[in-house]
Amino acid sequence: MSLTMYQASIPSFVRMLGNLSTILDKAAAHAEAKKIDASIFINARLAPDMYPLNRQVQIATDLVKGCAARLAGIEVPSYEDNETTFPELQARIAKTVVFLQSVAAAQIDGSEEREITLKFGSKEAHFLGQAYLLDFVYPNFHFHLTTAYAILRHNGVEIGKMDYIGGY
Amino acid sequence: MSLTMYQASIPSFVRMLGNLSTILDKAAAHAEAKKIDASIFINARLAPDMYPLNRQVQIATDLVKGCAARLAGIEVPSYEDNETTFPELQARIAKTVVFLQSVAAAQIDGSEEREITLKFGSKEAHFLGQAYLLDFVYPNFHFHLTTAYAILRHNGVEIGKMDYIGGY
């Protein structure tokens, strides 16, 4: 069995979003137990000019819904980016997982050389599918997942790397 | 051209280690310019029970030298883990890149179902090559790279996500 574009993307994304969900559950439970307003965590940042927790989760989910849609050649779902509570962030993760799971392997496999164009304001970046997945989506996705983890860890939530990686 | 185990590993690892090297160069220059002892950054942590910067770099490099060697079925190079300065961390990154580049595509391609055993003290974890790469190495590698970035960013080094991802 050879590695495919589908195997290198969707199952891994779903797995990591499940781990993120667990981490956010632990953070919500920690806030509740310590009687800390959950918004303290939702708005926490590692530096004044870094994004807060909710934006990290929004961007992480954006990256993988965009990846699944672009590799499959279908429309990227649009979300409002209005989540300000743990349940709202969990709902965003859940709907992202539902979308990811709606994309079939046959839609993504063979997308190694599919032309992908990303727009950043007035700029554009062009990729082929494989480089888009490996050089853009993967590092970006993990960057935001790890930053979400690090924000919570820095603020005293009792999570460990096994929560990030998941069991094995 | 189909995605291969080699393409999904070595070039991506080399690219990300190059970005890490750039980030550490910026941190060393920042320390120099601000007359801050470099060891402050080398020993900085995001939480008291998280690893400091030098250990993050050691683990990140361990993960990819281990991955390249195990997928290729060759001996994993052993490093001393004694780096305490920016030049020493850069030397570790550089020797890791040399090792990664010494492994040929033909040695890694086809390793999707190679049996991999990792030992953690008295415990063992068993993987097939593809799951080892996607579920273990990739999340772990990015976890430590992003944590290294976040430690420096949290401590005021002027770096941005483009330094982490690299140009595109």
Side-chain angles (χ1 to χ4, degrees), chain A residues 1-3 7 46 49-50 112-113 130 136 138-140 142-144 149 153-154 161 164 168, chain B residues 1-3 7 46 49-50 112-113 130 134 136 139-140 142-144 149 153-154 161 164 168:
Chain A
M1 195 179 71
S2 291
L3 183 61
Q7 289 157 16
L46 286 177
D49 56 348
M50 285 181 83
E112 284 90 342
E113 302 193 31
Q130 181 175 305
F136 180 82
Y138 241 100
N140 252 303
H142 280 284
F143 179 92
H144 292 285
Y149 172 97
R153 192 71 167 67
H154 180 67
K161 196 173 71 172
Y164 184 81
Y168 49 80
Chain B
M1 196 178 69
S2 290
L3 182 61
Q7 289 157 15
L46 286 177
D49 56 348
M50 286 182 82
E112 283 90 343
E113 302 193 31
Q130 182 176 304
L134 297 177
F136 180 83
N140 252 304
H142 281 284
F143 179 92
H144 291 285
Y149 172 96
R153 192 70 167 69
H154 180 66
K161 195 173 72 172
Y164 184 81
Y168 49 79

Side-chain angles (χ1 to χ4, degrees), chain B residues 98-113:
Chain B
V98 167
F99 173 69
L100 293 175
Q101 290 177 331
S102 77
V103 180
Q107 292 173 274
I108 291 196
D109 283 344
S111 60
E112 283 90 343
E113 302 193 31

